[in-house]
Amino acid sequence: MGNPQLVLLAGGLYVVLLLTLGLLGRRAQPARTLSEHFLAGRSLGFLVLLLTLFATQYSGNSLSGFPGKTYRSGLSYIMSVTFMIGIVSGYLLFVPQLFREARRGRYLTPTDYLTDRFRSPFLSYTSAVIFAVTLCNFLLAQLMALGHAVAGLTDGRIPYAAGVLGGMVVIFVYEWLGGLRAVAWTDALQGLILMVGLALVVGLLMLEVGTPAAVVAQILEVAPEKAANPSLQICLTWLSSFLLLGLGAPLYPQAIQRIYAARRLVELRKALMVMAVMPLFAITTVVFVGAVGIALFPNLDGVGSDQVTFRVLAYLVDVRPAAALPVLLVMMAVLAAIMSTADSALLSLSSILTKDFAARILGYEGSQAERLTRLAPIFSLAVLAGLGSLALQPRFTLWRLLEIKFEVLIQLSPAFVLGTLHHRGDRRAFAARDMTLGLVAGLVVALSAYAAGIRSLGGIHPGVLGVMVNYAAVLASRGLRLRGQGHPPYDPTADPNPTAAAT
Amino acid sequence: MPRSTKPPEAPSAAVVSEEPRRHRGFLALLALVALLTAPLPFAGAPLVLAWGLPLWLWWSLGMTALLSAVTVWGIVRLWRDDGDGYP
């Protein structure tokens, strides 16, 4: 697609920029500590925070996967706009309190909060494993997407394997150099490319294919079922996806670590405000690309539908050769989206292996854990070596196993949402055993359904059913405990400490 | 995994902090608008177009924009950073 020399030149320039930002990130580090490496010294201001949250949340899948989903499901995949906003709504269920706790407890990883709050080795290790598995899934998917994107962008001149390996090396180098500072700065660059790329896509498509109304008119001619009123089952999937993403996605470790890394609350609030509006433009654009794909190429098969973004872009270059440059920028945006998600997942995974496993197994606490700062790049390298080899020879069974990340990750929701609700000294506070019971119950329901081959129950995801059982079990366990202690049933409006109020 | 030796902190009753989820009205509104984003009223009905787009699409996009506005409103008006955050 486009001039190969120009593509290679743009790609080379982009890599040089990323490595330069890595070097600058290294120079900006006042010291080599875990907090500096993994949280940029808790110094991210509004703009960098916004762009890094944006680039992390909008993965390569959002740009190339969502149009494919729209192509297959039809216009009802506009539900993706709703659930991407739902992620920000989901943050409001625990982030305000988590931000305060993180400042107080100097947390580094999401598991640090759970360890500090519940002091249960089972909960801490189980959650660390869940976070690590989720991140492995994310990273593996991004590495594979990176290989395909580079091969597609260069018309196969750089083969898939070289794309995977080259991307891994670049990501590792800038992350090793500057830690989260470098990752956030490169995310900011990638976020900017993404925004410009998306704006260009809309402009070009409106110019060459027509307005949304014109596209819908074409869809009604070639595939009317894809514009039809959604069925009841689709509406239930819509609501289930909202719950799955709204409760699950805010728990992504890389997202939580960006919350920890915010310089001040006011900047975090501003960034989340913009993030709550962003999907109305960004995801609507992506769905529009899929809709244009239906109108232009109504007979694509499964694999073909996954490539609908690239087909639409190739069509644009065919009908208007002058669009080659903007399309190149869009392609770079896809590459940027993949790399920004991969680098964030890698850094977060490295922090979990360093802090949640190595430091705890070795019994290092507080400043002792700083000894492990030098180990972090070794963990990153080991992770890349392992996942890179899988990306080069994808094994189907493991891939299927990793697919269940959201169904599993969402089961940690009660520990964050309900765990941050009360002071740990409050008699109404949830205890470790409440959370453990809920987590086990939720995991059993979600994984059993998945193992039985159930991907949806009347449109509801197994993970959502699991989390409903999970919340019910946590509330029931706490209710029984309070009743056993002779306390009256829970009344959220009651004064938690009547003695203090009286005195 | 070694347990922390830090003693549990005493409950604070003096300072009440603001955050969106402590407002039941806000949570109820958020849940209602999220529910309305799904085009349930249109399920199974024949397709109706308005200004070239399906009516259900206008409905869902409108409710989604409202969801975005309610979320932003919650961040702006209900999220403060006073005290320790616990009621």
Side-chain angles (χ1 to χ4, degrees), chain A residues 153-168:
Chain A
L153 201 59
T154 59
D155 282 337
R157 285 178 178 79
I158 299 179
Y160 169 81
V164 171
L165 292 171
M168 275 167 41

Side-chain angles (χ1 to χ4, degrees), chain A residues 82 89 93 96-97 100-101 104 119 124-125 216 227-230 238 265 269 276 360 417 420-423 492, chain B residues 1 3 6 9-10 17 21-22 24 37 42-43 45-47 53 56 60 64 68 71 79-81 84-86:
Chain A
T82 310
S89 311
L93 297 178
Q97 189 57 30
R100 295 186 189 100
E101 299 281 347
R104 213 174 292 153
R119 300 171 191 197
S124 297
Y125 278 120
V216 167
N229 285 8
W238 188 306
L265 180 77
R269 283 173 50 207
R360 289 194 170 113
V417 174
T420 50
L421 207 52
H422 304 291
H423 198 287
Chain B
M1 191 170 300
R3 284 164 187 264
K6 201 167 79 173
E9 292 161 36
S17 192
R21 68 168 171 180
R22 302 218 183 265
R24 286 182 176 185
T37 58
F42 300 87
L47 181 71
L53 295 183
W56 68 264
S60 290
T64 301
S68 167
T71 303
W79 186 353
R80 296 280 177 274
D81 192 28
D84 70 353
Y86 292 107

Side-chain angles (χ1 to χ4, degrees), chain A residues 78-415:
Chain A
I78 198 79
M79 71 173 78
S80 52
V81 182
T82 310
F83 63 62
M84 291 300 267
I85 292 173
I87 295 173
V88 184
S89 311
Y91 279 129
L92 299 187
L93 297 178
F94 66 92
V95 160
Q97 189 57 30
L98 184 67
F99 181 76
R100 295 186 189 100
E101 299 281 347
R103 285 290 143 122
R104 213 174 292 153
R106 310 295 293 169
Y107 301 151
L108 203 66
T109 66
T111 316
D112 280 345
Y113 161 69
L114 297 174
T115 304
D116 187 32
R117 171 67 183 79
F118 295 108
R119 300 171 191 197
S120 156
F122 174 80
L123 266 182
S124 297
Y125 278 120
T126 308
S127 60
V129 168
I130 290 174
F131 286 134
V133 168
T134 304
L135 288 167
C136 281
N137 169 289
F138 226 43
L139 190 51
L140 179 59
Q142 302 307 314
L143 290 178
M144 292 170 72
L146 193 61
H148 288 302
V150 171
L153 201 59
T154 59
D155 282 337
R157 285 178 178 79
I158 299 179
Y160 169 81
V164 171
L165 292 171
M168 275 167 41
V169 169
V170 172
I171 290 172
F172 171 75
V173 171
Y174 71 70
E175 188 211 287
W176 168 66
L177 284 170
L180 181 63
R181 215 175 248 102
V183 167
W185 289 352
T186 53
D187 279 359
L189 172 71
Q190 289 152 346
L192 275 176
I193 296 175
L194 260 171
M195 284 182 189
V196 175
L198 286 172
L200 283 173
V201 166
V202 174
L204 286 170
L205 288 178
M206 298 271 256
L207 212 61
E208 294 301 335
V209 185
T211 61
V215 172
V216 167
Q218 289 180 57
I219 292 175
L220 286 172
E221 278 179 26
V222 296
E225 73 283 358
K226 291 188 175 171
N229 285 8
S231 65
L232 183 62
Q233 180 161 344
I234 290 175
C235 290
L236 289 176
T237 303
W238 188 306
L239 296 173
S240 178
S241 301
F242 179 82
L243 281 176
L244 191 73
L245 273 289
L247 293 176
L251 299 177
Y252 269 138
Q254 65 270 42
I256 290 181
Q257 286 182 307
R258 272 152 183 74
I259 305 292
Y260 291 174
R263 182 166 51 203
R264 289 184 302 150
L265 180 77
V266 65
E267 285 164 302
L268 174 63
R269 283 173 50 207
K270 272 191 211 165
L272 289 181
M273 274 164 53
V274 181
M275 285 291 291
V277 179
M278 206 80 101
L280 291 173
F281 305 99
I283 301 298
T284 308
T285 302
V286 167
V287 171
F288 184 52
V289 173
V292 168
I294 301 172
L296 292 178
F297 317 105
N299 298 315
L300 296 179
D301 58 4
V303 179
S305 65
D306 275 333
Q307 297 166 346
V308 71
T309 304
F310 304 104
R311 285 176 186 257
V312 168
L313 293 177
Y315 168 82
L316 277 176
V317 177
D318 278 349
V319 296
R320 181 183 279 248
L325 259 179
V327 163
L328 175 65
L329 195 69
V330 174
M331 296 300 297
M332 295 302 290
V334 175
L335 195 65
I338 296 168
M339 289 188 78
S340 60
T341 307
D343 62 19
S344 304
L346 177 65
L347 189 70
S348 203
L349 190 52
S350 169
S351 72
I352 286 171
L353 294 176
T354 307
K355 185 80 193 312
D356 296 341
F357 289 104
R360 289 194 170 113
I361 288 168
L362 294 170
Y364 289 176
E365 278 197 277
S367 59
Q368 282 181 313
E370 297 300 339
R371 291 186 211 169
L372 297 176
T373 309
R374 286 179 191 282
L375 270 185
I378 298 170
F379 282 128
S380 294
L381 210 53
V383 164
L384 281 177
L387 292 180
S389 61
L390 279 177
L392 293 177
Q393 288 175 323
R395 291 172 200 172
F396 181 71
T397 48
L398 185 64
W399 181 249
R400 296 294 293 182
L401 187 69
L402 291 173
E403 239 184 22
I404 59 176
K405 60 171 180 174
F406 253 125
E407 319 280 335
V408 172
L409 182 65
I410 195 178
Q411 305 310 328
L412 291 173
S413 170

